């Protein structure tokens, strides 16, 4: 299977450890492609004593010789992208010549952040608890067909005309909503024209590039951002992000037919976390949740916000597996559970006295779900850094077997720490075969 193209994406609410896994697996691919989201993502990769937090640049950048691409489905804050490139280059990672940016990707402007701040703070509005990066308003403009794309930005005449139009509209809205944030639009325009010149050498027709590379037998790994439960269509709407984090997003977000992508691999923690507002059936807001947060260092990679923590949610994983058709699951942060003598797992959802067999679409129904839990024995033994499945304590193996049986998805890989080598890839698994 030398031409297998894979999608790796979040099976929960984001921060599952996708960065670590993409970095690890990208060794076996030629190209790593981001397909949605923006610098709301924070993908942590630890290599030796160095720690990188990637926001827009695919995690494959840390592997010398790999090409990484940012697809049309991503929204790009050029200042953030250039800053990320500089940080990597200062750390000795070659970026120029290895990174391509789609000319069809949409651009984030400071007025997007301004609009987001207004909608997150206005009385009477539903607060989502966003990352404040302007992601949602940038996608709003894209869908409303008034967005500015990288290709538009590079053509100064097109850009200046579009910019004038969009600014006029934002000023009208700002006046109507009594937003008083002063923005210097003339300075913004010339700053963005400056960004255009710095980005120009990276800009390409990424869809064409990736399809041609596939024609030549090069292997592509698609890196999802956020997670399935934050997907604009399939997540816990409205407490979601504004893009398709699910498998379908990889196809539209890069411009590659689903027929050219061979399998989808989900990444899930051995428990679950969520940042921001919204329903969370297995949330533990007690001491157990705080201990998970401390042991798992569950603080946002981008915003530093404490992550809400809870127990593994089987119905949720079954749902996200249905949406994405996971061939295999990577379970991360098993070591975070090492201290526990008992581990609750949610096996079913009860709502108003009945068991549910579907994921409710209404946020209100999700808020009212009572998780039905089973308690499994813990192992109370250090698994951190283990690299062989057979070295895991029997209770840890039983825990993983239980998750596999209940979710119906193979667990092909287990992560026992943030480093590349703190990983167990199960020999003979579907995942091992897909990786080749
Ligand atoms: P992503 O957004 O899905 O890439 O995940 P984040 O980087 O936001 O959060 C995952 C965090 O867990 C990072 O700090 C990783 O370094 C860390 N991590 C990943 N895998 C493991 C693991 O198996 N054990 C532990 N203890 N930490 C891990
Ligand atoms: P990675 O790729 C976890 C959450 C925010 C908020 C909601 C909407 O690192 O897994 P947005 O700024 O996107 O409009 O916020 O989505 N969120 C994430 N949560 N991991 C992420 O990315 C996230 N990106 C956005 O906290 O609840
Ligand atoms: Mg993250």
């Amino acid at each position: 299977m030398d031409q297998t193209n894979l999608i790796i994406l979040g099976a929960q609410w984001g921060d599952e450890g996708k960065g670590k896994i993409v970095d690890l697996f990208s060794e076996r691919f030629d190209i790593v492609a981001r397909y949605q989201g923006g610098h709301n993502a924070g993908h942590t990769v630890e290599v030796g004593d160095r720690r990188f937090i990637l926001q827009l640049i695919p995690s494959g950048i840390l592997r010398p010789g790999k090409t990484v691409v940012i697809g049309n489905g991503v929204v790009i804050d050029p200042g953030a992208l250039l800053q990320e490139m500089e940080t990597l280059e200062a750390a000795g990672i070659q970026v120029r010549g290895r990174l391509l940016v789609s000319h069809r990707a949409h651009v984030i402007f400071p007025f997007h952040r301004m609009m987001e701040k207004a909608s997150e703070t206005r009385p009477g509005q539903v607060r989502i608890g966003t990352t404040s990066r302007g992601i949602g308003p940038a996608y709003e403009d894209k869908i409303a067909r008034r967005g500015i794309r990288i290709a538009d930005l590079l053509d100064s005449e097109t850009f200046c005309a579009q910019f004038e139009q969009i600014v006029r509209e934002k000023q009208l809205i700002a006046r109507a909503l009594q937003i008083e944030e002063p923005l210097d639009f003339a300075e913004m325009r010339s700053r963005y024209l400056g960004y255009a010149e710095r980005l120009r050498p990276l800009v390409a027709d990424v869809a064409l590039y990736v399809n041609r590379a596939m024609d030549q037998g090069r292997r592509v790994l698609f890196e999802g951002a956020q997670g399935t439960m934050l997907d604009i269509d399939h997540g816990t709407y409205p407490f979601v992000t504004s893009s398709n984090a699910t498998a379908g997003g990889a196809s539209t977000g890069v411009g590659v037919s689903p027929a050219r992508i061979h399998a989808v691999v989900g990444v899930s923690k051995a428990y679950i976390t969520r940042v921001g507002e919204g329903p969370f059936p297995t949330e533990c807001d007690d001491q157990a949740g705080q201990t998970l947060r401390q042991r798992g260092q569950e603080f946002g990679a981008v915003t530093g916000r404490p992550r809400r923590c809870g127990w593994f949610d089987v119905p949720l994983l079954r749902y996200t597996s249905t949406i994405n058709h996971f061939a295999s699951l990577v379970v991360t942060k098993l070591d975070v559970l090492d201290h526990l003598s008992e581990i609750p797992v949610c096996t079913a959802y009860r709502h108003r006295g009945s068991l549910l067999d579907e994921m409710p679409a209404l946020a209100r129904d999700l808020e009212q779900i009572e998780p039905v839990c089973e308690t499994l024995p813990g192992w109370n033994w250090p698994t951190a850094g283990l690299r062989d499945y057979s070295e895991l304590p029997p209770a840890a193996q039983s825990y993983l077997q239980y998750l596999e049986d209940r979710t119906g998805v193979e667990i092909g890989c287990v992560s026992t720490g943030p480093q590349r080598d703190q990983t167990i890839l199960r020999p003979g698994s579907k995942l091992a075969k897909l990786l080749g």
Side-chain angles (χ1 to χ4, degrees), residues 14-20 41-46 51 226 267 269 295-298 300-301 307 331-336 415-419 422:
D15 301 329
E16 298 91 348
K18 300 175 292 293
K20 168 188 161 158
H43 296 177
T44 313
V45 183
E46 289 194 16
R51 189 162 191 261
Q226 289 80 53
V267 184
K269 282 176 185 165
R295 291 189 51 97
Q297 281 302 297
E298 296 295 357
R307 295 176 182 150
V331 172
T332 61
K333 305 191 97 162
L334 185 73
D335 54 297
V336 174
S415 172
T416 57
Q419 295 279 332
Q422 296 179 312

Side-chain angles (χ1 to χ4, degrees), residues 13-16 18 40-43 116 128-132 135-136 225-226 230 240-241 275-277 305:
W13 274 293
D15 301 329
E16 298 91 348
K18 300 175 292 293
N40 49 350
H43 296 177
E116 180 168 341
I128 308 297
T130 66
T131 60
S132 316
I135 305 293
Q226 289 80 53
L230 288 170
V240 292
T241 191
V275 207
E277 307 298 319
R305 290 180 292 174

Side-chain angles (χ1 to χ4, degrees), residues 192-213:
Y192 273 68
L193 284 168
Y195 291 150
E197 291 324 304
R198 292 169 67 194
L199 290 177
R200 196 180 292 281
L202 316 174
V203 177
D205 186 330
V206 161
L208 188 65
Y209 176 84
V210 172
N211 278 287
R212 283 195 177 148

Side-chain angles (χ1 to χ4, degrees), residues 158-367:
T158 305
F159 171 64
C160 289
Q162 286 180 330
F163 186 76
E164 199 178 311
Q165 206 178 340
I166 204 164
V167 161
R168 216 177 300 130
E169 195 217 60
K170 300 301 172 203
Q171 283 173 321
L172 274 177
I173 299 173
R175 222 167 294 139
L177 298 178
Q178 296 173 317
I179 301 173
E180 270 155 22
E181 196 172 322
L183 286 178
D184 181 344
F185 291 106
E187 181 278 331
M188 197 186 298
R189 185 178 52 202
S190 58
R191 182 150 46 93
Y192 273 68
L193 284 168
Y195 291 150
E197 291 324 304
R198 292 169 67 194
L199 290 177
R200 196 180 292 281
L202 316 174
V203 177
D205 186 330
V206 161
L208 188 65
Y209 176 84
V210 172
N211 278 287
R212 283 195 177 148
M214 285 177 166
D215 291 343
Q216 293 158 8
R218 294 174 78 202
R219 297 185 71 184
V220 181
L221 183 61
F222 295 86
E223 175 177 359
Q226 289 80 53
T228 301
M229 297 309 284
L230 288 170
D231 180 278
I232 184 77
D233 286 278
H234 302 286
T236 47
Y237 194 89
F239 303 98
V240 292
T241 191
S242 298
S243 64
N244 284 116
T246 42
S251 175
T252 54
V254 176
V256 169
S257 163
R260 302 199 93 167
I261 304 176
H262 304 97
V264 185
V265 173
V267 184
S268 156
K269 282 176 185 165
Y271 48 100
I272 191 166
T273 62
R274 165 164 213 169
V275 207
E277 307 298 319
F280 184 172
T282 66
E283 181 167 18
C284 297
D285 37 22
D286 54 6
Q287 185 57 46
Q290 279 179 36
T291 309
L292 280 179
R293 184 173 313 124
Q294 286 309 324
R295 291 189 51 97
Q297 281 302 297
E298 296 295 357
F299 298 92
V302 174
T303 57
R305 290 180 292 174
R307 295 176 182 150
R308 299 157 65 191
C309 297
W311 304 118
F312 192 95
D313 185 332
V314 169
L316 178 144
L317 206 293
R318 288 175 68 94
Y319 171 73
T320 63
S321 182
T322 300
I323 298 297
N324 297 296
H325 194 67
F326 294 139
S328 190
L329 197 64
V330 177
V331 172
T332 61
K333 305 191 97 162
L334 185 73
D335 54 297
V336 174
L337 305 181
D338 283 352
H339 64 293
L340 294 167
S341 49
E342 287 187 330
I343 309 172
V345 173
C346 166
T347 54
Y349 286 169
R350 187 176 288 129
H351 184 248
R352 296 189 184 154
S354 326
L355 288 179
L356 296 180
D357 46 26
E358 281 175 20
M359 182 63 72
L362 281 180
R364 194 191 53 197
D365 288 346
L366 275 161
E367 294 281 5

